C-alpha cells in the first residue's frame, strides 16, 4: 500500500506537543490533503472524533544519511576487531549479493524499522547502481527504483541521493566490488540520474559525491552543477578518515574540504557527512559557505572514526543534521544525545546544545538538508508528519511534562515511539506498523536471503 496523503480531514489531539521552543499541553491539529491546516492550544481534553496521541508529539524525525543495505551487517561486523577499512571489506561482500528484488525487500523492512523509530523521511545515499561486475540492468535505475518503492510501501518519505562513485581512490580504477557502483564518468552518471522516474508524492531526487577519493577532482564540478541546475540537495562523505585526508594532501596539496571548495561543491544546498577530521580552515570554508554537516555519532563511534567538531562547525555557520548511516542502531534520539555526550567527553564540560537545539537538528534542519523545507515543524502549512514519544515508559516516567523535550532527547529511545504519522496517515499506531505488520520477521527474512 503506497504512501498517499490523508484525503479525509482529520483532527489529532496531542497530549503534549513540542512547538520548537517549548512543550505545550493540550494541542489539536487539523489535517487535510496531507498538511497541517490549523493548530489550536488549550485543548485540555480531546474533542469529539479526534485521534488521541498520548505522550510528547514532535515533528517527524529526518534521517539525513542512510545506507539501507548496511542494516544487514548489524551484529556481524561486531565480531573481532579491525578498522574502517576491514569493515569495508565485509560491507562489499554484502553489497555483492543484492539484486533489485532483494534490495526492495531489505529496504522496505529497514524503512519500516525507521518508521517505528519515529523517522518520517530518510536520505538514502545510494551508490549500488548496477549488477555485480558493472553490467547495467535493463532499467539502469532498477536499484534506485527498488528503494523508491520500498519507502512508499513502508510509508515514509525518501530523498534518493543518487551517488557518483567512479574511482577506488584518486584516479585508481574501481576494484571488482566497486564496478557495480561506477558509471565510468560523471557525465555518464548525470545521464543515468536524469532517467530516474520519481513523479511520486513521497520522493525527491538529490545527488551525492561519494567522496573526494571516489570522484576525480576534474569531475566534481559536473556533479555539483547537476544538483545546482535542479536546485537539488547535494551530499558528500567528507574527511571521515585521516587516511583520506593524507591521500588527498599527497595527490592535490589540499584537504578534501579545500578541494571541494575549489570545484564549487560547497554551498547552502550541500551537506558534508561526518566531517570528522577538519582543519580550522576547513571549518571556516564549511561555515562561511553555510554548507550543512550531518553527524552520524553511532556509526562514527562504531567504526572508531573519531568525534567530529560539530559545535565548531555550527558556531561558524553550518546547520547540523543527523543520520544513522550504517544502522548499527536506528534511533535518531540516540544520535541527538550522542552528539551532545560525545562533545562532553571531548571537552569535559556539559550543555553544548539544548534539547530544543538537538531536536531541531533531528527534525527541521534534517528535512531541510534533504530538500523538504515544508516539513519538520508543527505549524499550519507544514506537511503533516509527526511522531509521538511515550512519557510513561520505564525510561521516560517521572519528569514533569514541561521537561518532556529533555526527557525525549536524554532518556527516551526508539522503543518509546508510540505513533508515527506521515502525510496525515498513521503509519505506526500504538507501536505497530500499519503497513508492515511484522517488521522483525521482514528484517530477518530479507537479511537471511543475502546469506544464500
Amino acid at each position: 500500500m503506497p504512501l498517499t496523503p490523508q484525503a479525509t480531514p482529520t483532527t489529532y489531539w496531542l497530549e503534549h506537543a513540542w512547538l520548537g521552543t517549548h512543550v505545550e499541553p493540550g494541542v489539536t491539529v487539523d489535517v487535510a490533503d496531507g498538511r497541517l491546516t490549523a493548530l489550536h492550544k488549550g485543548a485540555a481534553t480531546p474533542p469529539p472524533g479526534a485521534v488521541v496521541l498520548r505522550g510528547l508529539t514532535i515533528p517527524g524525525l529526518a534521517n539525513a544519511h542512510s545506507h539501507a543495505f548496511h542494516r544487514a551487517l548489524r551484529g556481524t561486523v561486531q565480531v573481532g576487531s579491525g578498522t574502517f577499512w576491514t569493515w569495508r571489506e565485509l560491507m562489499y561482500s554484502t553489497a555483492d549479493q543484492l539484486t533489485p528484488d532483494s534490495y526492495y525487500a531489505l529496504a522496505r523492512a529497514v524503512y519500516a524499522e525507521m518508521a517505528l523509530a519515529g523517522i518520517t523521511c530518510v536520505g538514502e545515499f545510494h551508490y549500488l547502481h548496477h549488477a555485480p561486475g558493472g553490467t547495467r540492468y535493463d532499467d539502469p535505475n532498477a536499484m534506485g527504483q527498488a528503494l523508491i518503492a520500498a519507502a512508499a510501501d513502508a510509508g515514509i518519505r525518501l530523498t534518493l541521493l543518487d551517488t557518483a562513485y567512479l574511482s577506488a581512490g584518486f584516479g585508481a580504477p574501481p576494484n571488482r566490488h566497486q564496478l557495480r557502483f561506477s558509471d565510468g564518468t560523471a557525465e555518464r552518471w548525470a545521464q543515468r540520474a536524469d532517467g530516474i522516474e520519481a513523479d511520486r508524492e513521497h520522493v525527491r531526487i538529490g545527488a551525492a559525491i561519494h567522496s573526494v577519493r571516489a570522484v576525480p577532482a576534474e569531475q566534481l564540478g559536473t556533479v555539483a552543477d547537476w544538483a545546482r541546475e535542479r536546485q537539488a540537495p547535494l551530499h558528500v562523505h567528507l574527511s571521515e578518515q585521516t587516511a583520506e585526508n593524507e591521500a588527498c594532501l599527497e595527490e592535490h596539496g589540499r584537504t578534501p574540504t579545500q578541494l571541494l571548495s575549489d570545484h564549487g561543491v560547497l554551498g547552502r544546498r550541500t551537506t558534508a557527512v561526518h566531517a570528522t577530521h577538519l582543519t580550522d580552515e576547513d571549518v571556516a570554508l564549511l561555515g562561511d559557505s553555510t554548507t550543512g554537516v550531518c553527524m552520524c555519532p553511532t556509526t562514527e563511534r562504531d567504526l572508531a572514526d573519531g568525534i567530529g567538531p560539530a559545535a565548531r562547525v555550527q558556531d561558524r555557520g553550518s546547520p547540523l543534521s543527523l543520520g544513522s548511516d550504517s544502522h548499527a542502531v536506528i534511533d535518531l534520539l540516540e544520535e541527538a544525545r550522542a552528539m551532545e555526550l560525545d562533545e562532553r567527553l571531548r571537552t569535559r564540560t556539559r550543555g553544548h546544545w539544548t534539547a530544543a537545539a538537538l531536536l531541531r537538528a533531528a527534525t527541521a534542519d534534517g528535512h531541510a538538508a534533504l530538500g523538504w523545507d515544508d516539513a519538520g515543524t508543527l505549524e499550519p502549512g507544514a506537511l503533516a508528519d509527526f511522531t509521538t514519544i511515550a512519557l510513561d515508559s520505564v525510561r521516560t516516567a517521572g519528569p514533569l511534562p514541561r521537561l518532556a523535550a529533555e526527557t525525549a532527547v536524554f532518556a527516551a529511545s526508539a522503543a518509546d515511539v508510540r505513533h508515527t504519522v506521515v502525510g496525515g496517515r498513521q503509519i505506526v499506531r500504538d507501536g505497530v506498523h500499519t503497513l508492515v505488520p511484522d517488521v522483525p520477521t521482514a528484517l530477518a527474512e530479507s537479511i537471511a536471503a543475502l546469506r544464500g
Side-chain angles (χ1 to χ4, degrees), residues 212 217-218 220-221 224 228 248 252-266 281 285 289:
V212 295
E218 67 276 9
L220 292 170
R228 188 176 300 110
C248 190
H252 297 290
R254 318 284 284 160
T255 67
T257 304
Q258 291 167 340
L259 191 66
L260 294 176
S261 179
D262 290 346
H263 291 275
V265 176
L266 304 185
E281 183 179 352
L285 286 170
S289 62

Side-chain angles (χ1 to χ4, degrees), residues 197-281:
E197 296 178 9
D199 186 21
R200 301 175 72 174
E201 180 71 23
H202 78 291
V203 64
R204 293 179 183 176
I205 305 300
I209 293 165
H210 179 273
S211 57
V212 295
R213 68 178 185 274
V215 177
E218 67 276 9
Q219 299 185 55
L220 292 170
T222 300
V223 185
D225 289 344
W226 188 94
R228 188 176 300 110
E229 289 164 6
R230 292 157 182 76
Q231 297 189 336
L234 173 63
H235 287 217
V236 54
H237 289 138
L238 178 63
S239 291
E240 184 177 3
Q241 294 291 320
T242 54
E244 176 184 290
N245 288 359
E246 292 161 0
C248 190
L249 285 165
E250 182 176 351
E251 180 73 17
H252 297 290
R254 318 284 284 160
T255 67
T257 304
Q258 291 167 340
L259 191 66
L260 294 176
S261 179
D262 290 346
H263 291 275
V265 176
L266 304 185
R268 66 180 184 85
R269 290 192 186 88
T270 300
T271 297
V273 182
H274 302 302
T276 309
H277 304 285
L278 302 180
T279 66
D280 290 343
E281 183 179 352

Side-chain angles (χ1 to χ4, degrees), residues 90-165:
L90 293 170
M91 179 270 287
Y92 283 156
S93 66
T94 298
D96 288 344
Q97 306 305 312
L98 288 160
T99 67
D101 287 343
S102 62
Y103 205 11
Y104 163 80
L106 175 61
R108 173 178 172 268
V110 174
Y111 295 155
E113 181 182 358
M114 291 186 191
L116 289 172
I119 293 164
T120 57
C121 183
V122 60
E124 186 63 37
F125 200 99
H126 167 57
Y127 53 82
L128 269 172
H129 302 307
H130 310 300
T135 302
R136 290 199 170 201
Y137 293 105
D138 291 340
D139 174 0
N141 290 300
M143 295 294 271
Q145 292 297 340
L147 293 167
I148 290 170
D153 292 346
I156 69 173
R157 302 187 194 276
L158 169 74
T159 296
L160 186 71
L161 297 161
D162 196 276
T163 303
Y165 193 141

